[in-house]
């Protein structure tokens, strides 16, 4: 009974609002009942968006990858691969970390970027798909950080 009620509530959230954003963290997209609700809403409501934060990178032949490559409103963020706007790519910082951005990027993004000028692309790992880093990120933006 509670499971049916939760599915109903999720369905209403995704279909009754034209501008809903659903964030998932730790969801493997292995439950077709939930997937059906989510993907139907993405197909019928172009302003509904899904941001799927993944612990592992989505594989090329994964169903989530295939769906994200066909949809502008489905964003998938893995540690080194992201699919945004129907395009799959690797994480790369545009500019090095400096004093202004270091605190903002420390938790969500682990990078080789340093303040010195670099000639090679700045690579790294997006870490928010790991519950530990996600919890630290939430604690940091909530003003925590004191042990």
């Amino acid at each position: 009974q509670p499971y049916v009620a939760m599915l109903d509530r999720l369905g209403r959230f995704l279909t009754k609002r034209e501008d809903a954003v659903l964030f998932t963290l730790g969801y493997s997209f292995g439950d077709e009942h939930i997937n059906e609700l989510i993907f139907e809403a993405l197909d019928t409501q172009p302003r509904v968006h899904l941001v799927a934060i993944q612990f592992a990178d989505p594989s090329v032949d994964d169903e989530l990858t295939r769906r994200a490559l066909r949809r502008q409103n489905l964003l998938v963020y893995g540690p080194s691969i992201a699919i945004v706007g129907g395009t799959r790519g690797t994480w790369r910082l545009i500019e090095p970390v400096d004093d202004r951005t270091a605190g903002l990027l420390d938790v969500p993004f682990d990078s080789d970027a340093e303040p010195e000028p670099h000639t090679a692309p700045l690579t790294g790992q997006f870490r928010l798909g790991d519950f530990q880093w996600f919890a630290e990120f939430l604690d940091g933006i909530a003003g925590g950080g004191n042990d």
Side-chain angles (χ1 to χ4, degrees):
Q1 192 72 8
Y3 182 73
V4 173
M6 287 189 295
L7 279 177
D8 183 56
R9 188 170 184 181
L10 175 63
R12 281 185 282 134
F13 170 77
L14 293 172
T15 58
K16 301 297 183 200
R17 297 185 53 146
E18 66 179 42
D19 59 350
V21 178
L22 176 64
F23 285 83
T24 62
L25 177 67
Y27 179 55
S28 67
F29 292 87
D31 188 327
E32 284 306 313
H33 293 93
I34 298 171
N35 292 350
E36 185 178 325
L37 285 172
I38 293 171
F39 294 127
E40 183 177 326
L42 293 176
D43 287 341
T44 60
Q45 304 276 21
R47 290 183 53 188
V48 169
H49 287 77
L50 169 63
V51 179
I53 302 173
Q54 303 291 289
F55 180 77
D57 285 321
S59 67
V60 177
D61 61 345
D62 186 54
E63 182 64 22
L64 181 62
T65 297
R66 285 194 294 271
R67 290 178 185 263
L69 291 172
R70 294 190 315 256
R71 291 178 172 84
Q72 298 288 313
N73 56 350
L74 172 53
L75 297 83
V76 179
Y77 296 129
S80 54
I81 302 292
I83 305 169
V84 178
T87 303
R88 186 177 192 271
T90 58
W91 285 107
R92 183 176 63 86
L93 292 178
I94 295 173
E95 57 188 52
V97 173
D98 60 21
D99 291 339
R100 293 173 301 130
T101 57
L104 297 172
L105 295 177
D106 285 346
V107 172
F109 199 80
D110 177 27
S111 176
D112 64 359
E114 296 176 7
E116 299 90 42
H118 284 270
T119 56
L122 305 171
T123 60
Q125 295 281 309
F126 180 72
R127 302 192 286 195
L128 292 187
D130 181 323
F131 285 123
Q132 177 182 342
W133 288 110
F134 187 73
E136 287 186 33
F137 176 71
L138 291 179
D139 188 47
I141 62 174
N146 300 330
D147 292 332

